[in-house]
Structures are given as C-alpha cells and as structure tokens.
Amino acid sequence: MKLKLIAIIALLSGALMYSQNSEVDSLDELTPEMGKNIIKTNVTAYAFRNINLTYERVINKKFSVSATYTFIPKGKVPYVESFLKGEDLGDIKHIDMSYNSFTLEPRIYLNKRGFGRGFYLAPYYRFSKIDLSNYRYEFTTEIVVGGVPFEQKIPVDMSGNISANSFGLMIGNQWILGAKQNWVIDFSIIGGHYGFSNGDLVASSKGLKLSPQEQADLQEELNKLDVPLVKIHATANENGATAKLDGPWAGLRFGLSVGYRF
C-alpha cells in the first residue's frame, strides 16, 4: 500500500512538473501586479469529511503567509473500520467526533520565479481540537451474593475533548496556471508536526449511584486505559468520573489543493 501511494505521488508530481515546464515563455515570470491573494481548498481532504479553506498572502518574491481553517462536522470516525477489526474496533465505531484546527504557515519559495510559485518550505503552527461523545464504556467491579463474589460490568457514557498545540514543517510545490495566471494547484508533498495535547473526559453513570467500591474500580480502570503516550488522571464520584489527559501529539500533512489567485 505504501509503495502504491509513493508511486501515485511521484507520477502526479511528474505530470504537474511537465505541465509547468510546457507553458509558454511569456509565463516564465510572475510579477506582484498579477495578484497577491490566493484562496484554495484541499480537495483530497473532503474524503475524510474535512471541510477546509486556506488564504495565502504573497509578501514578496520569496515569502508568503497563509492561514488554514479546517472543520470535520460531528459524525462517526472516518474510515475507522478500515483500520480496526473485530475486538479492536469494539465500541469505537459508535463514537461521534468533530474536529477543528487552525494552521498558520509562513512559506519560503526557493526557485527564481517566486511570487507564490514553485517549490517551497513551510514551517507551521497548528492548533487542533477534537470533541468526542457517545462512547459507551463498561468497567468491571466485584459484587458478593450469598457470600460468593461475582464480577459485574457497569456501563458509563463517556464524552470529552482534546486540544493540541504543535509545530511542524512541510514541503511542496505550487503552480500558477491559466491564460491570466489566476488558477492555482498546490501539491503538499509531505509535512509533519509534533507538540503536546491535553483534554478532559467525563464518564456518566446515567443516574446510577456508584458505591465507594465501584467508584474505586472505575477510577482504577480509567487510569489504566491503554492510550499510547497519553497520561490519564481520573477522579471518580457517585455519578461517574472525570479524567484529565495529557501527552504528546503528532500528525502528518499531504494533499492536493486547488484555488484562485486575485
């Protein structure tokens, strides 16, 4: 799968570079008068319900600044069944999520043509927030009936949010096309970011009053949840529990955007 993805990216990059090189000589140089503003959207992200819009302002031949807002409306986790199967999937398939992010990105164009065109390096900052709901979690407690201990599972409904601040670097290539040089194709080849996250979870017993032993069992299970690299600090009460989350945050960026320059 990885080899196929690399091959597709290479072919697409080659095709777009050929298109750029085959333009007439009169398009070899851009000037600031041709437009310093670019509006575009990452069309590949829509496959993940990711609605997004980017505004880029060309400062001079070598530099520009862009801001991107992305939004995934509330719904099931996109393509979760493609990555998890069987017991690993569990109740995750029922979780509702929404996502927002804001990315601030200065760009450095490295070729001679510039003015928002060509190969670029882009360090960036991103703020992200995920809201989760509709997660039914069952914790195990012990009850004694007639002197005989039994294990019992008690359901709680979990919801919460996680926010993150991260910094990264992206490389890509942007083309200005058309007779009036006002159509834009932006190929974000690869980018990665790293930072830190924190969040809050609430586990509700939905009116069922938990005993002290049940509270202790719920708190212990939440603290031991197997979430990679994330620390969980839970506090239980008779109505459920609250939990604080913190840990590292990382992600990748890539995609193909189309837009208009004016």
Side-chain angles (χ1 to χ4, degrees), residues 43-62:
V43 294
T44 53
Y46 286 92
F48 299 91
R49 299 202 321 272
N50 188 321
I51 302 167
N52 63 92
L53 185 66
T54 296
Y55 169 71
E56 181 178 357
R57 173 70 176 183
V58 178
I59 305 300
N60 55 38
K61 189 172 184 178
K62 292 295 184 181

Side-chain angles (χ1 to χ4, degrees), residues 83-255:
F83 301 98
L84 299 176
K85 302 292 184 182
E87 293 183 358
D88 292 333
L89 182 59
D91 292 330
I92 294 178
K93 64 182 179 181
H94 300 300
I95 293 178
D96 288 327
M97 65 154 286
S98 62
Y99 172 81
N100 293 268
S101 74
F102 175 77
T103 306
L104 185 63
E105 177 184 299
R107 287 188 170 191
I108 305 168
Y109 287 91
L110 301 179
N111 67 352
K112 295 181 179 180
R113 305 171 105 181
F115 293 116
R117 182 185 212 172
F119 185 79
Y120 61 81
L121 295 177
Y124 63 91
Y125 159 78
R126 171 171 288 185
F127 171 78
S128 308
K129 185 178 181 183
I130 298 177
D131 290 289
L132 303 171
S133 61
N134 197 35
Y135 178 43
R136 176 61 62 91
Y137 177 77
E138 292 184 337
F139 72 96
T140 302
T141 189
E142 187 177 274
I143 61 173
V144 178
V145 179
V148 180
F150 292 92
E151 285 191 349
Q152 180 183 26
K153 289 188 177 294
I154 299 178
V156 292
D157 290 336
M158 298 185 66
S159 61
N161 61 76
I162 303 171
S163 59
N165 294 278
S166 53
F167 295 87
L169 178 67
M170 186 174 69
I171 60 174
N173 202 100
Q174 185 158 277
W175 292 265
I176 309 297
L177 306 173
K180 296 182 179 180
Q181 302 239 321
N182 50 9
W183 294 105
V184 177
I185 295 179
D186 183 5
F187 182 29
S188 302
I189 300 171
I190 191 67
H193 51 272
Y194 181 86
F196 295 92
S197 65
N198 60 77
D200 297 280
L201 288 178
V202 176
S204 172
S205 58
K206 292 296 183 181
L208 175 65
K209 300 298 182 182
L210 302 179
S211 69
Q213 181 59 51
E214 291 168 343
Q215 294 175 41
D217 292 338
L218 174 59
Q219 180 171 311
E220 181 179 4
E221 284 206 22
L222 290 178
N223 283 330
K224 291 182 178 180
L225 281 179
D226 186 16
V227 182
L229 303 177
V230 174
K231 296 180 180 179
I232 300 177
H233 310 278
T235 303
N237 55 62
E238 65 178 8
N239 298 313
T242 59
K244 297 287 186 180
L245 294 77
D246 63 81
W249 183 271
L252 294 174
R253 291 179 65 190
F254 61 90

Side-chain angles (χ1 to χ4, degrees), residues 19 21 36 64-66 77 97 112 115 128 147 179 207 219 221 234:
S19 175
N21 292 334
K36 296 183 179 181
S64 72
V65 177
S66 73
V77 179
M97 65 154 286
K112 295 181 179 180
F115 293 116
S128 308
Q219 180 171 311
E221 284 206 22

